Every structure is written in structure tokens, then in C-alpha cells.
Amino acid sequence: MMEAPRIYPTFRFRDAAAMIDWLETAFGFTTHAKYMDGDRVAHAELAFGSSMIMCGDDRDDAYGEMVGRPTGQGGKSLYVAVDDVDAMFARAEAAGAEIEQGLNDRDYGSREFVCRDPEGNLWCFGTWWPMVTDKG
């Protein structure tokens, strides 16, 4: 039996509720859990296949101090392995994702594209899908 993922990328958004809706529409995420604090998203878990991301609204708390404000990218991006990158590209483009790099075939065998969500986060989608059991 394959173990559950151990790494869960996390995001603090300026408007988490809007971003959750957008991520569902643009990339096909599904909401696994969502906990509210009044009208703000305190914590949410979004599933994509066997993986998840966690997110919530930006707030002034100890964790917010550590991770910083949701502005600027600072060398961060998220890579997501997909079966049909052309279909994902069409879906993301239709939802208004800002395409940074269109579909292209890489020397290492992956077909990929790069885009930004409405809050400026960089997302890379491709067919390269390394498994932890693969030798590097």
C-alpha cells in the first residue's frame, strides 16, 4: 500500500474563499475540508488526485509573521504532475490564468506550461511525474 503524501504546500491568500473557487474551476481541485472563522477561511484542504494543498486567509498571527504576506513570489513555485497537460492548459487559460510560458516539450520528456493564479502565485503543470521509488 502506498503511504499518504508527507508534503503539503500551504498558501496564505488575500481572499482564500475566492481563490478556492478559482482553483476548483481553473485546475480541478476539490475541497476536502474548509473551516471558517466568521467570513474568513481559517484553514482549508484542497485535493488534487492523491495530493493536497492547505490554505487560508492572510492574517496577523505568529504563523503569518513567519511566512510573510502573500505578495511577491521570491523564488517559489508549485509543480503539479498531470496526465493530460493540454487539457489542463485549456482549462487554466479559460479560467483566466495568466500564462507565463505556453505549452512546450522539454528535453527530459515532459510537456509543460507555467501560469499564475489571480493572486500571482506561480503554478507549473507537466507530464514529468517522478516517483520516490524511482532511482534519480
Side-chain angles (χ1 to χ4, degrees), residues 103-117:
L103 287 164
N104 60 85
D105 298 310
R106 302 290 189 193
D107 292 343
Y108 49 89
S110 186
R111 183 162 171 77
E112 301 174 351
F113 74 95
V114 180
C115 66
R116 289 191 188 275
D117 66 32

Side-chain angles (χ1 to χ4, degrees), residues 58-85:
D58 180 37
R59 54 191 179 274
D60 292 320
D61 60 10
Y63 187 69
E65 277 291 313
M66 287 186 277
V67 300
R69 310 305 298 193
T71 58
Q73 197 51 34
K76 297 173 285 197
S77 69
L78 190 69
Y79 177 85
V80 181
V82 295
D83 293 321
D84 187 345
V85 73

Side-chain angles (χ1 to χ4, degrees), residues 11-13 19 72-73 115-123:
F11 296 86
R12 285 274 175 105
F13 294 121
M19 283 302 301
Q73 197 51 34
C115 66
R116 289 191 188 275
D117 66 32
E119 292 203 6
N121 298 294
L122 197 65
W123 297 78

Side-chain angles (χ1 to χ4, degrees), residues 5 10-12 15 21 28 37 46 55 62 67 74 80 97 115 117 124 133:
T10 60
F11 296 86
R12 285 274 175 105
D15 185 347
D21 290 343
D37 182 9
L46 306 179
C55 66
V67 300
V80 181
C115 66
D117 66 32
C124 308
T133 55

